[in-house]
Amino acid sequence: SLKESVRGQLENYLEAEDIVGDRIEFQLRLSFPEKIGIGAARQLAGEVRKLWALGEQPIPSLVELLEKKGIRVIEVDEPSRNFDGCQIETHDAIAIGKRGDQPITRKRFTIAHEFAHVVLNSWCKKHGLAEKDMEKIVNAFASEFLMPASALRSYFVTARKSITEQELVAVKIQFGVSIGAIVYALNKLGIVGDNAFRRFQMGFVNTWRKAGREPGDDDVNGLFKEEPSRFQRIVLRGISEGDISLSRASGLLGKDISELRREAIPMVE
């Protein structure tokens, strides 16, 4: 089952960390506002960006950033292709679905969304938020973390009567975020009016949803790669240092021994 697959991969990840002695503790010192809301969630996302010295710049690889900070990222090849992602509570870990049929923008938002759960869940539960309201808070954090409002304001400047596809694709390529998410954020910032937003949703978004793609997908898919690598690097390090046998590594990674033998050939020794 999906739950067993996630649990098994996490246990293997933790075992490899213990064997090699390579464990990064996730630490994030934030002051959570007394009043909970979408604005406060966006503010917290901005604080994380500030603490991690990200500025307003796009994040080239969310997975690489989170792994460096101590978040374990597990990718699950779930046969039904209905699994996007989940937070793994108590272990500073998230699981994401291996979905080759979907654009990278969706995968990036899923990663940001699950990271938001890691950061915000205790705060949301303290305030007794229902799941629906919690998801709104989490999505606001994810949006701001991926694509800061200040950067959008700098790009679009002020309220607009119309915005071209070329402008939206340019921002999509820069930040690795879907056009739908960009226009949603612009609406919340007051740059795109409510009527224009509704027309956009009913026209373009519905058409793109049926087609399973939107403009700029090919460009963005070629620019951003979100593939977890830390777990495999730890295991390969364990092999090269003599701490993990090939047979044990095969069990940890779920790979054939002959394949691992090729990957573990030392180039410098």
Side-chain angles (χ1 to χ4, degrees):
S1 71
L2 175 62
K3 188 175 181 180
E4 289 171 346
S5 177
V6 170
R7 184 174 65 241
Q9 285 200 50
L10 178 61
E11 288 173 352
N12 288 345
Y13 200 142
L14 294 170
E15 180 182 339
E17 284 184 334
D18 287 340
I19 293 172
V20 176
D22 184 355
R23 181 165 292 190
I24 303 170
E25 294 299 327
F26 174 65
Q27 295 182 338
L28 191 59
R29 293 182 174 86
L30 290 174
S31 296
F32 290 89
E34 281 300 315
K35 189 175 180 180
I36 196 166
I38 285 174
R42 289 186 174 278
Q43 181 183 337
L44 287 167
E47 284 296 312
V48 176
R49 275 186 156 267
K50 186 177 179 181
L51 286 170
W52 290 356
L54 299 174
E56 294 182 357
Q57 299 304 307
I59 301 172
S61 172
L62 279 169
V63 166
E64 183 179 355
L65 173 66
L66 296 181
E67 287 185 326
K68 284 180 178 177
K69 296 298 182 180
I71 299 290
R72 299 172 187 90
V73 184
I74 295 167
E75 191 165 41
V76 181
D77 193 0
E78 201 270 321
S80 74
R81 296 290 188 269
N82 290 324
F83 173 67
D84 282 325
C86 69
Q87 178 208 6
I88 307 171
E89 292 192 271
T90 73
H91 284 100
D92 295 329
I94 63 174
I96 53 176
K98 200 168 189 176
R99 302 284 299 273
D101 58 325
Q102 291 184 345
I104 194 67
T105 52
R106 177 162 177 172
K107 188 174 186 180
R108 280 169 63 81
F109 196 86
T110 295
I111 295 165
H113 178 97
E114 300 308 334
F115 170 58
H117 273 294
V118 173
V119 177
L120 303 180
N121 268 13
S122 295
W123 184 49
C124 290
K125 289 176 180 177
K126 176 185 173 184
H127 288 270
L129 255 62
E131 184 177 351
K132 183 179 178 181
D133 295 324
M134 184 188 294
E135 289 301 298
K136 291 178 181 177
I137 297 289
V138 165
N139 281 336
F141 179 102
S143 175
E144 182 69 20
F145 187 66
L146 276 172
M147 182 179 53
S150 54
L152 282 180
R153 288 195 188 96
S154 296
Y155 194 93
F156 293 99
V157 183
T158 186
R160 298 282 297 273
K161 292 181 180 179
S162 65
I163 299 174
T164 66
E165 178 183 310
Q166 285 75 16
E167 290 176 282
L168 293 169
V169 169
V171 175
K172 173 177 180 168
I173 290 171
Q174 184 178 5
F175 285 95
V177 177
S178 72
I179 292 176
I182 295 166
V183 176
Y184 180 85
L186 291 175
N187 174 246
K188 295 303 178 186
L189 293 172
I191 294 172
V192 169
D194 290 341
N195 289 336
F197 178 66
R198 279 193 291 271
R199 287 192 295 272
F200 169 76
Q201 288 284 106
M202 292 173 64
F204 291 104
V205 172
N206 286 342
T207 301
W208 295 338
R209 189 174 287 126
K210 289 176 184 176
R213 57 186 291 110
E214 63 173 40
D217 278 349
D218 290 340
D219 293 319
V220 176
N221 290 344
L223 286 171
F224 294 90
K225 302 294 180 188
E226 297 290 353
E227 298 173 356
S229 62
R230 183 172 175 265
F231 175 35
Q232 178 163 312
R233 291 201 312 271
I234 289 173
V235 174
L236 290 175
R237 176 183 162 191
I239 294 172
S240 66
E241 296 294 322
D243 296 321
I244 299 177
S245 67
L246 281 173
S247 60
R248 186 67 199 108
S250 174
L252 290 170
L253 293 175
K255 282 189 171 186
D256 186 76
I257 289 181
S258 59
E259 183 182 354
L260 274 175
R261 187 175 284 113
R262 289 193 299 272
E263 292 179 356
I265 294 174
M267 183 171 283
V268 179
E269 59 180 335

